[in-house]
Amino acid sequence: MRAFAIVTVLALGLATSACSGSGYSSGRTNSPAAPTPVTSNGIVTINVVAINGAQSFSPNPATLPPGQMVVWPNVNNTTHRVVLNDGSVDTGNLAPGASSQPMAIGVAGGQYHCSIHPEMIGSLNQDIAPSSPTPAY
C-alpha cells in the first residue's frame, strides 16, 4: 500500500511539473506588444512557412521600429511573393529556399500578403518604446 502511495505522489508531481514548465504553449502567436527579435546583423527575419492564412508567416504579427531592415526567407516548398498592402515593399518571386534582399520597412505597421496566394496574410506592428519619464522639479 505504501509503494502505491509513493508512486501516486510521484506521478502527480510529474504531471504538475509537465503542465507548468517553460515547454508549455498557449497556442497564441507572438504578442503584438513584444518586439520581434533582431538578428546579430540588425535584420529581422520573417519566415514564409506555409499557405495557411495568418499562420503563413513566422513571426506573425512582427513588431518592428520604423526603418527596420527585414528579410523574408521562403522555408516553404512553393514559390511566394511578399507584398505590403500599401505597395511600398515587394520581394519579387521567392523560390523555395530563397530569401528576399534586406528591405527597409518605412513606417512599421500595416498588412502584407503573398501576391501569388492572397490568403497568406501577415501584419507588422509599430514598436513604440515607452518614453522615459520626465523628471519632476
Side-chain angles (χ1 to χ4, degrees):
M1 185 68 166
R2 181 176 177 180
F4 176 75
I6 291 172
V7 169
T8 302
V9 169
L10 287 174
L12 287 174
L14 286 172
T16 302
S17 67
C19 291
S20 63
S22 62
Y24 176 75
S25 172
S26 65
R28 293 181 0 185
T29 58
N30 290 351
S31 166
T36 300
V38 177
T39 62
S40 61
N41 60 0
I43 299 173
V44 168
T45 298
I46 301 173
N47 291 310
V48 181
V49 296
I51 302 173
N52 191 18
Q55 303 301 312
S56 301
F57 302 96
S58 180
N60 188 22
T63 303
L64 315 167
Q68 176 65 54
M69 297 295 285
V70 176
V71 65
W72 277 275
N74 181 1
V75 299
N76 190 230
N77 59 2
T78 303
T79 298
H80 297 287
R81 183 177 192 137
V82 179
V83 177
L84 262 62
N85 289 3
D86 69 4
S88 63
V89 169
D90 184 339
T91 63
N93 287 351
L94 298 173
S99 291
S100 72
Q101 294 297 316
M103 301 178 165
I105 304 299
V107 176
Q111 305 294 311
Y112 62 93
H113 63 280
C114 173
S115 64
I116 299 170
H117 309 98
E119 65 273 22
M120 295 175 63
I121 56 172
S123 64
L124 301 170
N125 296 324
Q126 187 163 5
D127 181 14
I128 303 172
S131 60
S132 37
T134 307
Y137 294 101

